[in-house]
Amino acid sequence: MRQLDLDLAEKSYPIYIGRDLISNPQLVSNHINGKQVMVVSDTTVAPLYLDKVKSLLTKYTVSEVILPDGEQYKTLETVNTIFDALLNNHFDRSCTLIALGGGVVGDMTGFAAASYQRGVDFIQIPTTLLSQVDSSVGGKTGVNHKLGKNMIGSFYQPKCVLIDIDTLNTLDDRQFSAGMAEVIKYGVLGNESFFNFVNSNIESLIAKDKDLLIDTIYQSCSDKASIVAQDEFESGKRALLNLGHTFGHAIENTLGYGVYLHGEAVAVGMLMAAELSYLEGHLEIKEVNKIKSILEKSNLPTSIFGKITSSEFIKAMSVDKKVKEGSVRLVLLKGLGNAFISDDYSDETLQRVINNYCNN
Ligand SMILES: NC(=O)c1ccc[n+]([C@@H]2O[C@H](COP(=O)([O-])OP(=O)(O)OC[C@H]3O[C@@H](n4cnc5c(N)ncnc54)[C@H](O)[C@@H]3O)[C@@H](O)[C@H]2O)c1
Ligand SMILES: [Zn+2]
């Protein structure tokens, strides 16, 4: 097992990464303070892993909530069902919530923990590659609104993150590739040697080689943890983690949830950001091609399948929360591994990139 710590003063917490960690009762119970534990999962993950997780919790009063599976259910209404379960079971302020599932379960459980009785403890047990390298770390929690993704939420850190890579055995290949988009993102935005490492091991990674996966997840969490430790509330540097996301969210919002997986939309978005960076003179074409090639080798999309017009795309970009007072601030690249935030690019160039990807 490998361990790293997210350093946030009194809110610091460990991230454990390894094999068969959900067979180790000590790891979880070290981070549970009260007697009551609510495990939150979804209809796909619960039949696979809920009993195993519950068997770690024999010392506690345990209840469970099984949410419907899908991004379209990442809503306040669904979070309300967690509150119903907590109140029906008389859970008090000393309880702990455990998120067992992908990013959708993690984001909603974290949000419920942040608000229930003004804040109770929670633990993340992420079971998708995307949630293991990204959403379970850093404390962003929340739900979607019909006018935009993740528009309602709060920053709320877990007590620990337990990444059992054996849960990836049951994850389908498309979901696994979607997680690879966020892995690749860390390399592209700030760590060229990690990009090269992933690039040279991509076939074995896609084949889920366990040792490589542990190293890759560790490095991804480590890169994210170091950025979050410097800027927990995204007043500056943390925004770099949104590379590809303003474009990606426009794709997700316009096509509707479920057409593109989050990671797939981010893959296309990252390439759009790279092309804009190239056209603005910050990035070489061979670097754009390197990004495109690693995405292709990861079985990720590099274009938009589905009908989006340029004007729909622009409109969707402007409801994205990364838009500050009119000018769309984007994460651009000054070379591989060197992202920066900018609103200093020409609108015509942005339009050109969007036209290349959309139906006009
Ligand atoms: N909080 C953050 O910082 C952050 C960062 C990135 C993404 N996100 C959010 O994360 C969400 C996407 O997360 P996701 O990609 O994990 O999607 P997801 O939670 O929808 O999971 C994807 C699918 O895989 C299934 N699944 C999960 N684990 C499985 C396993 N081990 N075996 C078999 N099936 C399994 C789920 O039931 C679901 O059908 C989005 O809502 C996105 O906004 C949040
Ligand atoms: Zn993301």
Side-chain angles (χ1 to χ4, degrees):
M1 184 184 83
R2 299 187 72 180
Q3 178 183 337
L4 68 102
D5 296 294
L6 207 167
D7 182 10
L8 286 171
E10 72 286 353
K11 288 183 289 180
S12 298
Y13 54 92
I15 301 162
Y16 306 108
I17 304 158
R19 300 198 60 176
D20 206 22
L21 299 190
I22 55 173
S23 296
N24 180 343
Q26 210 53 45
L27 277 183
V28 189
S29 54
N30 282 346
H31 300 281
I32 298 176
N33 292 311
K35 282 265 153 265
Q36 299 169 310
V37 178
M38 177 70 72
V39 186
V40 183
S41 193
D42 72 23
T43 48
T44 303
V45 178
L48 297 168
Y49 303 109
L50 181 62
D51 284 346
K52 205 161 177 192
V53 168
K54 278 168 78 179
S55 71
L56 304 176
L57 302 167
T58 49
K59 292 197 298 192
Y60 306 95
T61 307
V62 182
S63 296
E64 66 209 41
V65 201
I66 312 299
L67 307 177
D69 172 8
E71 181 78 35
Q72 69 273 31
Y73 299 109
K74 192 175 142 183
T75 60
L76 277 178
E77 290 71 30
T78 308
V79 170
N80 210 29
T81 65
I82 306 177
F83 295 141
D84 290 343
L86 289 164
L87 288 164
N88 282 327
N89 289 287
H90 311 290
F91 271 51
D92 63 28
R93 291 195 64 191
S94 68
C95 73
T96 295
L97 272 57
I98 296 183
L100 173 68
V104 169
V105 166
D107 281 12
M108 282 196 284
T109 308
F111 187 52
S115 334
Y116 187 65
Q117 307 215 2
R118 300 186 183 84
V120 297
D121 289 351
F122 92 110
I123 289 173
Q124 290 270 19
I125 306 185
T127 61
T128 60
L129 180 60
L130 186 134
S131 57
Q132 295 183 348
V133 298
D134 192 355
S135 62
S136 66
V137 172
K140 277 193 184 178
T141 74
V143 296
N144 301 327
H145 185 275
K146 66 177 186 304
L147 294 181
K149 246 183 87 74
N150 299 326
M151 283 291 148
I152 321 286
S154 67
F155 288 95
Y156 197 67
Q157 303 294 341
K159 291 291 162 200
C160 78
V161 183
L162 202 99
I163 301 175
D164 183 336
I165 65 151
D166 288 319
T167 58
L168 299 176
N169 291 340
T170 52
L171 189 70
D172 72 40
D173 291 346
R174 185 176 171 199
Q175 293 288 352
F176 186 88
S177 287
M180 283 303 297
E182 304 278 8
V183 169
I184 292 162
K185 180 190 79 177
Y186 294 115
V188 174
L189 80 88
N191 190 340
E192 191 178 8
S193 67
F194 183 51
F195 179 92
N196 291 333
F197 169 81
V198 174
N199 201 18
S200 49
N201 289 294
I202 194 72
E203 284 83 12
S204 311
L205 272 170
I206 293 294
K208 300 186 185 168
D209 177 286
K210 300 288 190 231
D211 291 334
L212 274 174
L213 265 178
I214 290 178
D215 290 346
T216 300
I217 294 169
Y218 180 92
Q219 191 58 52
S220 301
C221 290
S222 166
D223 284 8
K224 178 156 185 185
S226 109
I227 291 176
V228 171
Q230 295 168 59
D231 178 24
E232 182 183 3
F233 300 112
E234 199 168 310
S235 43
K237 193 171 183 189
R238 185 169 180 166
L240 295 176
L241 295 171
N242 298 324
L243 172 65
H245 280 61
T246 302
F247 293 110
H249 286 166
I251 299 172
E252 287 178 272
N253 287 339
T254 313
L255 289 179
Y257 303 133
V259 179
Y260 268 61
L261 300 177
H262 174 73
E264 292 172 338
V266 168
V268 181
M270 202 156 34
L271 196 57
M272 294 177 81
E275 283 186 20
L276 180 57
S277 306
Y278 162 67
L279 291 173
E280 285 287 314
H282 304 301
L283 196 66
E284 292 180 35
I285 192 68
K286 71 170 196 289
E287 296 175 303
V288 179
N289 290 334
K290 249 178 132 173
I291 296 170
K292 188 170 185 194
S293 149
I294 196 174
L295 295 173
E296 284 168 351
K297 285 188 266 180
S298 307
N299 305 318
L300 284 160
T302 53
S303 59
I304 302 175
F305 307 102
K307 198 169 159 35
I308 305 183
T309 64
S310 298
S311 59
E312 280 171 333
F313 196 100
I314 295 269
K315 189 160 166 257
M317 273 180 90
S318 59
V319 300
D320 191 273
K321 65 183 171 206
K322 279 109 213 166
V323 178
K324 273 203 177 161
E325 283 144 29
S327 54
V328 185
R329 299 174 82 233
L330 292 171
V331 185
L332 299 182
L333 296 166
K334 266 186 213 150
L336 256 184
N338 190 7
F340 68 107
I341 294 160
S342 172
D343 54 10
D344 182 23
Y345 51 82
S346 93
D347 287 345
E348 289 71 35
T349 321
L350 175 63
Q351 188 70 55
R352 210 171 125 196
V353 173
I354 291 171
N355 289 346
N356 287 342
Y357 283 80
C358 293
N359 312 85
N360 295 295

